Amino acid sequence: MRPRICVAIPAYTINQTLKTLKRIGSPDLVEIRFDYRKEEIPPQTVRHETETPLIATNRARGQGGYAVEDEVSRVRLVAEACDAGFEYGDVELSSGILCTALQRIREAGSTSIVSHHDHTRTPPASELECKHDVAKKAGADIVKLVGAVQGYQDNLQYLEYLSRHPGNVSFGMGANGTLSRIMSPLVGGAFTYASAEHGMESASGQLTLVEMLCLYKAMGVRI
């Protein structure tokens, strides 16, 4: 199975975002993290810069993001990006307007990602299953479940989850979670995440796109 890699771009300014899009090479997807922005970043401008499929994310503070808007405005930006042609919209499972958000994403013709990030631990399998079921019942096209890895054995929780539910996204954060970041798309994950370059990581444990490609090549994986 060919692994798909999404490069996450912390979008601080429009110029920085567009310059990063030009120099990142050829990932399978690009995530625009609107919650990092220090100025207005028009989704239409970003969409016109690349033909690579785009994920719109405006991550809530409670989920490790930096969004400062109220919940309605925060989620509205994701929906507006989908209206502008972004292929995916990422909304947190904890959002109080999740069903409304997913409806807006569907109406735009985009694919919904319902995400949950646990920054303190790796949830047990039963909890991952519960969150998966809740997200799917809400209408998620793709479920993204991520947690903090304390020991290498924690990686197995995410990989086993994907073996049960292929086509979703799951891996561990932190230095010890890099293993599941690499392996997740090889055991059924829809894609994994990388940074554009060192210093632009949007989460701990992220490797750069170049590093990920080199690792897959060394493993004999078709890329």
Side-chain angles (χ1 to χ4, degrees), residues 89-112:
D90 184 318
V91 181
E92 294 79 4
L93 181 61
S94 58
S95 175
I97 54 172
L98 177 61
C99 291
T100 300
L102 297 185
Q103 181 178 350
R104 283 289 309 277
I105 292 170
R106 281 195 298 271
E107 290 174 349
S110 302
T111 298
S112 64

Side-chain angles (χ1 to χ4, degrees), residues 44-45 52 64 75 104 107 125 127 129 158 169 189 220 223:
Q44 298 92 336
T45 303
T52 302
V75 172
R104 283 289 309 277
E107 290 174 349
E127 187 172 329
E129 288 296 316
Y158 307 106
V169 175
I223 54 175

Side-chain angles (χ1 to χ4, degrees), residues 86-161:
F86 280 55
E87 285 82 356
Y88 300 81
D90 184 318
V91 181
E92 294 79 4
L93 181 61
S94 58
S95 175
I97 54 172
L98 177 61
C99 291
T100 300
L102 297 185
Q103 181 178 350
R104 283 289 309 277
I105 292 170
R106 281 195 298 271
E107 290 174 349
S110 302
T111 298
S112 64
I113 301 171
V114 174
S115 60
H116 176 77
H117 297 73
D118 191 322
H119 291 268
T120 62
R121 66 189 178 114
T122 288
S126 59
E127 187 172 329
L128 292 176
E129 288 296 316
C130 180
K131 293 189 182 301
H132 174 88
D133 290 344
V134 172
K136 281 296 186 181
K137 287 178 181 177
D141 294 312
I142 296 174
V143 181
K144 179 185 178 186
L145 300 178
V146 178
V149 169
Q150 304 301 323
Y152 288 114
Q153 69 279 3
D154 288 346
N155 288 289
L156 295 176
Q157 291 282 34
Y158 307 106
L159 301 180
E160 289 173 356
Y161 161 77

Side-chain angles (χ1 to χ4, degrees), residues 9-223:
I9 297 180
Y12 296 100
T13 68
I14 186 62
N15 286 337
Q16 165 262 324
T17 301
L18 298 183
K19 287 179 180 178
T20 304
L21 278 171
K22 288 180 179 179
R23 67 172 184 260
I24 56 175
S26 302
D28 298 285
L29 308 95
V30 172
E31 178 187 44
I32 302 298
R33 286 287 300 269
F34 287 100
D35 52 294
Y36 280 82
R37 70 195 188 283
K38 296 181 179 179
E39 64 181 27
E40 182 181 357
I41 298 180
Q44 298 92 336
T45 303
V46 178
R47 174 70 283 173
H48 292 158
E49 187 64 29
T50 179
E51 295 182 357
T52 302
L54 295 172
I55 301 174
T57 301
N58 193 19
R59 185 73 67 219
R61 285 183 175 271
Q63 282 287 287
Y66 300 95
V68 296
E69 307 99 319
D70 61 80
E71 186 67 3
V72 172
S73 299
R74 185 183 69 79
V75 172
R76 183 188 299 129
L77 178 56
V78 174
E80 290 174 349
C82 290
D83 289 336
F86 280 55
E87 285 82 356
Y88 300 81
D90 184 318
V91 181
E92 294 79 4
L93 181 61
S94 58
S95 175
I97 54 172
L98 177 61
C99 291
T100 300
L102 297 185
Q103 181 178 350
R104 283 289 309 277
I105 292 170
R106 281 195 298 271
E107 290 174 349
S110 302
T111 298
S112 64
I113 301 171
V114 174
S115 60
H116 176 77
H117 297 73
D118 191 322
H119 291 268
T120 62
R121 66 189 178 114
T122 288
S126 59
E127 187 172 329
L128 292 176
E129 288 296 316
C130 180
K131 293 189 182 301
H132 174 88
D133 290 344
V134 172
K136 281 296 186 181
K137 287 178 181 177
D141 294 312
I142 296 174
V143 181
K144 179 185 178 186
L145 300 178
V146 178
V149 169
Q150 304 301 323
Y152 288 114
Q153 69 279 3
D154 288 346
N155 288 289
L156 295 176
Q157 291 282 34
Y158 307 106
L159 301 180
E160 289 173 356
Y161 161 77
L162 289 174
S163 70
R164 297 190 300 271
H165 302 288
N168 296 290
V169 175
S170 191
F171 50 79
M173 294 181 289
N176 290 336
T178 302
L179 175 62
S180 53
R181 285 183 179 274
I182 297 166
M183 294 301 299
S184 62
L186 302 180
V187 298
F191 49 85
T192 189
Y193 287 75
S195 65
E197 57 192 51
H198 289 294
M200 291 192 66
E201 297 85 359
S202 63
S204 60
Q206 263 184 7
L207 299 176
T208 67
L209 174 62
V210 171
E211 289 172 332
M212 293 286 279
L213 292 174
C214 287
L215 280 170
Y216 286 135
K217 184 176 181 179
M219 293 166 63
V221 175
R222 181 175 65 87
I223 54 175

